[in-house]
Amino acid sequence: MANSENFTQNLSENPSNLNENQPIQPLKSYPCPQCKKLTAWQGNEFKPFCSERCRLIDFGAWANEDYKIPTQEIDFSQQFEH
């Protein structure tokens, strides 16, 4: 759902949320970590991703061990020579 649709839907569901004395707050958005598409934070069931597709792509990368922290291999016997 687009940002403006979310805002309109929220107002139509509960118009008392709108206070005449308070400025309208825009929906916060951020880039999807997978595809970099600008994505709304509020009301996004897939956050931090923009869609289920991006979420599953990232999950697949974790399952395939594509994300690794680089380490330095040390021979077990060398650990105790210090």
Side-chain angles (χ1 to χ4, degrees):
M1 200 180 289
N3 290 348
S4 61
E5 290 173 358
N6 280 341
F7 179 74
T8 305
Q9 181 181 8
N10 288 340
L11 285 180
S12 64
E13 289 174 358
N14 191 359
S16 64
N17 285 341
L18 184 60
N19 184 341
E20 293 177 11
N21 299 326
Q22 292 179 346
I24 296 173
Q25 296 294 325
L27 294 177
K28 294 182 181 181
S29 59
Y30 62 95
C32 171
Q34 187 64 40
C35 71
K36 309 300 183 220
K37 175 182 164 187
L38 198 58
T39 305
W41 184 261
Q42 295 89 345
N44 179 0
E45 66 181 295
F46 306 111
K47 62 183 148 185
F49 304 101
C50 67
S51 65
E52 183 177 17
R53 178 182 180 273
C54 283
R55 181 175 66 177
L56 290 174
I57 290 171
D58 185 72
F59 180 70
W62 277 103
N64 288 331
E65 298 182 359
D66 293 342
Y67 301 126
K68 296 180 181 178
I69 298 173
T71 61
Q72 182 179 11
E73 295 290 326
I74 299 175
D75 187 26
F76 182 72
S77 62
Q78 293 177 353
Q79 291 180 358
F80 302 104
E81 291 181 2
H82 294 277

